[in-house]
Amino acid sequence: RSYKPDQPGELFIGDKNVIREGVTLHRGNWNGPATRVGSNCYIMAQAHAGHNAQIGDWVTMANAAALAGHSSVGNYCVLSAFASVHQFTSVGEGVMFQACGRVSMHVPPWCLVADYNTIAGLNRIGMRRNPNLTQVERDEIKEVYRAIYRRKGGRPMEEVMSELGARTWSPAAARWIAFIRESLDQKPPRSRGVCGGGSRRRVPSSTDRAETAEIG
């Protein structure tokens, strides 16, 4: 509805992508960056990326998977059939969605998404198969995940993040921690919080940290 013919926007598509029947990729709108699709992606029938969406490299979108406008998906993600990402929502690298999984909050790297805004665990198979991750990085990603989703208890998220930030981490684990920090510090309309684990509860965003939140 906000399309302006005099500012039609742009769509950039990388190399070696497979784009199947009925896929729709919308140009970026005037109020955001160009829509971008990385390289070596496999986008299956009827999948959709809305205006200003950002898709990394080596991303697989199965049939009818959908990205709303201004959303972003990192490298090596897999969106199973009918998976969906809400507008202004970021999905970190290496995330895998179960069929019909859907999110309206940010998703940390290398996680499994189930149902609605629910982290079901780590994408351990994806981590093991990814040639760019060392064993040290895999182990540290698991450690950071457990600190946030398994051992946090009732402690404030700021305390957990401070403890994690006091250590020196491998690049992949450091990106994991940075993703959480950036997600919690986002301003509207990107202030969406972070998906919780094992239930529909969530880590609060910077605008609602006064609320009590618990991650299972």
Side-chain angles (χ1 to χ4, degrees), residues 145-164:
Y145 172 85
R146 287 193 293 267
I148 293 177
Y149 284 100
R150 291 291 179 263
R151 299 174 182 165
K152 175 179 177 291
R155 293 190 300 159
M157 178 54 62
E158 288 83 354
E159 180 180 329
V160 177
M161 295 302 294
S162 178
E163 289 180 2
L164 293 174

Side-chain angles (χ1 to χ4, degrees), residues 103-124:
V103 294
S104 59
M105 292 182 281
H106 305 304
V107 185
W110 301 107
C111 285
L112 293 173
V113 172
D115 192 37
Y116 174 59
N117 286 337
T118 301
I119 301 301
L122 280 174
N123 182 11
R124 296 173 184 269

Side-chain angles (χ1 to χ4, degrees), residues 2-214:
S2 60
Y3 175 76
K4 295 183 178 181
D6 59 329
Q7 297 176 294
E10 296 176 305
L11 165 66
F12 294 98
I13 300 176
D15 301 322
K16 300 180 182 179
N17 293 298
V18 176
I19 301 174
R20 298 306 302 256
E21 303 85 353
V23 170
T24 52
L25 302 171
H26 289 191
R27 293 181 295 186
N29 211 344
W30 60 270
N31 61 347
T35 304
R36 293 184 181 273
V37 179
S39 298
N40 299 292
C41 297
Y42 193 88
I43 304 179
M44 297 172 66
Q46 308 300 323
H48 168 74
H51 59 85
N52 311 102
Q54 310 292 306
I55 301 175
D57 300 328
W58 298 98
V59 171
T60 299
M61 294 180 64
N63 294 355
L67 307 178
H70 298 276
S71 63
S72 65
V73 173
N75 300 337
Y76 301 104
C77 286
V78 177
L79 280 73
S80 298
F82 301 101
S84 57
V85 179
H86 194 277
Q87 63 182 352
F88 297 106
T89 299
S90 297
V91 177
E93 64 182 308
V95 172
M96 184 168 187
F97 284 65
Q98 292 184 358
C100 301
R102 57 207 190 278
V103 294
S104 59
M105 292 182 281
H106 305 304
V107 185
W110 301 107
C111 285
L112 293 173
V113 172
D115 192 37
Y116 174 59
N117 286 337
T118 301
I119 301 301
L122 280 174
N123 182 11
R124 296 173 184 269
I125 294 177
M127 291 166 57
R128 185 171 67 245
R129 292 177 177 175
N130 190 287
N132 298 315
L133 292 179
T134 67
Q135 187 57 51
V136 170
E137 288 178 312
R138 296 186 187 99
D139 291 340
E140 288 192 356
I141 288 171
K142 294 174 185 177
E143 187 175 352
V144 173
Y145 172 85
R146 287 193 293 267
I148 293 177
Y149 284 100
R150 291 291 179 263
R151 299 174 182 165
K152 175 179 177 291
R155 293 190 300 159
M157 178 54 62
E158 288 83 354
E159 180 180 329
V160 177
M161 295 302 294
S162 178
E163 289 180 2
L164 293 174
R167 281 184 52 180
T168 299
W169 299 90
S170 62
R175 290 196 300 273
W176 216 101
I177 296 169
F179 183 96
I180 294 288
R181 281 195 185 281
E182 293 168 5
S183 297
L184 297 179
D185 289 338
Q186 291 284 359
K187 305 301 180 185
R190 294 189 177 277
S191 179
R192 312 202 62 83
V194 177
C195 289
S199 71
R200 298 186 182 183
R201 293 170 293 183
R202 69 174 187 173
V203 179
S205 68
S206 58
T207 58
D208 60 7
R209 284 177 181 167
E211 298 177 2
T212 301
E214 177 183 355

